[in-house]
Each structure stands twice: as structure tokens, then as C-alpha cells.
Amino acid sequence: LLQDVGFTVLFQAISDACNGRVFTEEQTRRFLEGLSPEMSVAASCAAVADENEKDCNNHVTTEEEVMMTKKRNIPLIVHNGLQDLMFLMTHCHNASLPDSFEDVKQVIRGYFPSIYDTKVLATEYSDAIIRGGKSYLENLFNNTCGLHLGDIFSLQPPTITNKNGMSSQGQAHEAAWDAYMTGCVFHSLCHRILESKNLLNFNLTLERLLHDSSSGLLREWIGLNHIYMHVSIYTIDLESLSGIDAAGLHDPLSKGLSIDTTFHVSGIMESVSTRDICQALTLGNESEEEAIRLLDYEIIWIDDTSFFVGTRMIEGISTSDSITTGLIASHVRNKLHGGLGLALKIVSLGVYFKSKYSTGAETPESAGEWGGIVGSFVSVATKPFQILGSVLGIVRKRPTGHNIDNGEIASKRRKIG
């Protein structure tokens, strides 16, 4: 099929399905014979054509028909799919994407109005068992799809059969098998979430949740249009609006991170490793208060002498508690100064952004190679996005290592805790 119709045509067909359009036999024939540039028709148009067998170009879509089209929308399911989406946009939309990432988000949503990222679903919306485990795709599939029968939430995945009717088994990083695992993981994680919600007397099925629920509920429960961003402390929100919040960001910090307890650290020696930072932060914590003992840390390198350190809040610890926030901030500063030296400069993320971009010290020209879409993952009001490439943990210097989360070669992201 790919050889017959081409990659771009398949992309457009998937996008049409995700936008609730209808593929009729007549319209498909006209498209394949070159009689129409459109391979599908609007749902309302298809209904008129079926009923009246007339051209529906002059049909005025009603509000009810708009709602029916939305119900027909098929969500796009990805796992850690930001780079895949960028590939599709640059190859099937335009090789040159808009300068503003907010505009890029609108382009993505034009093709795919509803996107779910199982990486985000696992790390930010699932239960403690899932969040406490490794979140790479194969591990999630093995842990949620029937292979661990002791877990009452595990689901048995559908069987794949080949053309000879024999069952088939793939392996990770094969496109078809990864797609299969992603769909199974999405279904299983949503099932787990719904089971916990239904215990609170919510009588919802996955189908009803996806097609009959408000976008607000979908965002709250299963992370509608939130995309995992590798090598970063942020989660991409495809529905974020223009404007500026306290941190100068449109996209939210990853679940559990706070701008007041996430810090920019600079002035370290080049020989300092992630392990050294981890030891400095955790050594002797056994005698500390519970809020400190149970903290998780996330280290994101910027370059050889600076990094971000985020303190991830466990359930039951509120970042809105000023006393706890102050305690955590003092802990991070004291531990890093004590373990890595008093010469370190440590500031909270909020202070760092306000200081860095209120002075105008950075310019688009100074961003150099980090301009374009790679440098735009976080938007800052009044400043072109290109200046942020080096801030996002997209590292240029430190040697590539193994991601302890999934065993795959990763850039510079180090997860601790």
C-alpha cells in the first residue's frame, strides 16, 4: 500500500480519520482516479450524500453535525512521540515550521486534534505501581498486558496472526510491533485509571470516556494533548495558550516538579558526574525530616558546568506549603554546597528565568545552532524562542551515557530516585 499510494497520502488519510472525516467508496474511487484532490469527505457531507445522493458542497453544517464529527475523531496514540510528530510535520506539512512553538502546536493539532502519549500517561497519570516502575514501552507492555497475572489490572492483549493464520510475535523497536505495544499499553493504562475512578462511582467505559467526555476531563484523567519531552523537565502541552506565567513558560513542568524547588546550578567542576550530585543530595538524609527523606531528584545537564536539579514531590507532600518548599530549597542548597563546593551558584527556576530573560543578555543570534524548532520547546513571552535551546537540557558536551530508565542510549537526561 505504501508503494502504491505514497507516504504523504497515508499521512493525510490518518489525519483525515483523526479529524472525523469519512472514507466513502465513491470518494475513494474519485481520488484514486485523479478526479478529486480529497480522499475523504466531512461526516456531515457523507450523510447528505448518502441520503440525497446529491453533491453536498452547499450543505451548511449544523451544530449537531459538528458534535457528531468530534465523536468520530480517532485519537492518535504515541509513546514518547514528539520527535515522530516533528518528523511528520517537516516531511508532510512543510520543511520549514513556524518560528513560534505555539504556532507549531497549532499545526500539529490541525492534523491530529487528540493525541495521547503513553509515556506521559504512565509517568504522570497512572497509579503508584506504574509510576514507580520503568516507563519504556516494552516494560510497560510486559507489566500491564497480561504477562503478570498477579496484577488484577493487567489486560490480555489481542493476538496477532500472520497471513497463514499463525500467531506472530515481534520485538521492540520494530515499527509494527511498537505500534501494537503502544495501543495495548494505552488501553491497559486507561483501564487501570478507569478502574480506580469507577471505585468512586464513576460508571465510565473507555469508549464513553474518549467520545462522550469533555476535553477538560480527558486532560485531567489521561493527559489529552500532553507530550513527553525527552531531555527536559517539561511536558509539552499542545493546548497551551499564549501568555506568560510565573516561570515565563507556556508548557508545564513535568508532574511533581515545582519552579520553587527546581534549581539551576552553575559553576561546578567539569569532572563532577551525575553520581556525585546524587551522593551529595542524599548522603545522610536518613536523619532528616520525612519530606526530605522521601524526595526524588531529577538531574538534567545543560553543559559541562551547569545543570538543573528538580525535586520530585511524592504523594502527600504539597509544593504549595511554603514551609515545606523552604525546607526543600534549603536542603538542596546546603547539600550541594557541602558536597560540591561553596563556589556553586544555585537559584530557583523561577528566579533563573526572570533574571536571564529580563536583562536581554541573550539574543536570537547568541542562540546559534540552537535556533529553530529544537530551540523552541519552551516559549518565553517578549523573547524569541530560539534563545532557549541551551536552557532545556539539550546538551552538547558531556559524553553520551546509558539512560537508567530504559537501558537505551540517551542524550544527557539522568533520572535519580
Side-chain angles (χ1 to χ4, degrees), residues 17-21 43 63-75 113-114 210-212 215:
C18 289
N19 278 277
R21 293 176 64 87
E63 183 177 348
E64 181 180 1
E65 289 171 338
V66 171
M67 294 301 296
M68 290 300 297
T69 298
K70 288 184 177 181
K71 286 189 175 185
R72 290 184 56 89
N73 288 0
I74 298 174
S114 301
L210 293 176
H211 297 294
D212 296 337
S215 60

Side-chain angles (χ1 to χ4, degrees), residues 182-196:
T182 300
C184 291
V185 167
F186 175 75
H187 184 270
S188 182
L189 291 179
C190 287
H191 174 73
R192 295 175 71 100
I193 293 170
L194 282 175
E195 284 293 320
S196 65

Side-chain angles (χ1 to χ4, degrees), residues 2-159:
L2 180 61
Q3 294 177 341
D4 291 340
V5 301
F7 178 77
T8 304
V9 171
L10 289 180
F11 166 82
Q12 188 59 55
I14 294 172
S15 173
D16 285 358
C18 289
N19 278 277
R21 293 176 64 87
V22 176
F23 297 86
T24 66
E25 183 176 350
E26 173 63 18
Q27 188 62 28
T28 300
R29 181 190 64 77
R30 289 172 54 81
F31 172 78
L32 292 177
E33 292 177 357
L35 301 177
S36 172
E38 299 291 338
M39 67 184 75
S40 64
V41 296
S44 57
C45 183
V48 171
D50 287 343
E51 292 177 4
N52 302 325
E53 298 183 355
K54 295 179 180 179
D55 183 78
C56 60
N57 289 331
N58 298 323
H59 176 67
V60 178
T61 304
T62 65
E63 183 177 348
E64 181 180 1
E65 289 171 338
V66 171
M67 294 301 296
M68 290 300 297
T69 298
K70 288 184 177 181
K71 286 189 175 185
R72 290 184 56 89
N73 288 0
I74 298 174
L76 181 69
I77 314 299
V78 300
H79 181 85
N80 192 10
L82 182 60
Q83 292 187 17
D84 299 315
L85 289 170
M86 292 298 98
F87 176 87
L88 291 175
M89 294 304 104
T90 54
H91 285 71
C92 300
H93 171 72
N94 193 316
S96 298
L97 295 177
D99 286 341
S100 166
F101 191 47
E102 302 304 315
D103 292 338
V104 175
K105 292 176 183 179
Q106 292 185 14
V107 172
I108 294 173
R109 291 195 61 211
Y111 287 105
F112 308 111
S114 301
I115 302 176
Y116 296 95
D117 189 334
T118 53
K119 182 81 168 182
V120 174
L121 190 60
T123 58
E124 302 194 15
Y125 294 89
S126 294
D127 55 77
I129 294 176
I130 298 299
R131 294 201 311 272
K134 296 178 180 180
S135 60
Y136 63 95
L137 179 58
E138 187 177 20
N139 186 72
L140 286 173
F141 177 75
N142 290 337
N143 286 339
T144 64
C145 296
L147 301 184
H148 291 265
L149 300 179
D151 189 338
I152 62 173
F153 292 116
S154 293
L155 294 180
Q156 184 65 43
T159 301

Side-chain angles (χ1 to χ4, degrees), residues 311-344:
T311 56
R312 189 171 297 281
M313 303 293 100
I314 67 167
E315 292 185 51
I317 296 181
S318 173
T319 57
S320 61
D321 182 347
S322 60
I323 296 178
T324 301
T325 297
L327 178 66
I328 294 171
S330 296
H331 160 76
V332 170
R333 289 189 172 93
N334 292 339
K335 287 290 187 177
L336 291 180
H337 279 142
L340 303 179
L342 297 176
L344 298 184

Side-chain angles (χ1 to χ4, degrees), residues 396-407:
R396 289 172 277 185
K397 293 184 179 180
R398 298 185 79 90
T400 297
H402 287 275
N403 185 324
I404 64 175
D405 179 48
N406 62 15

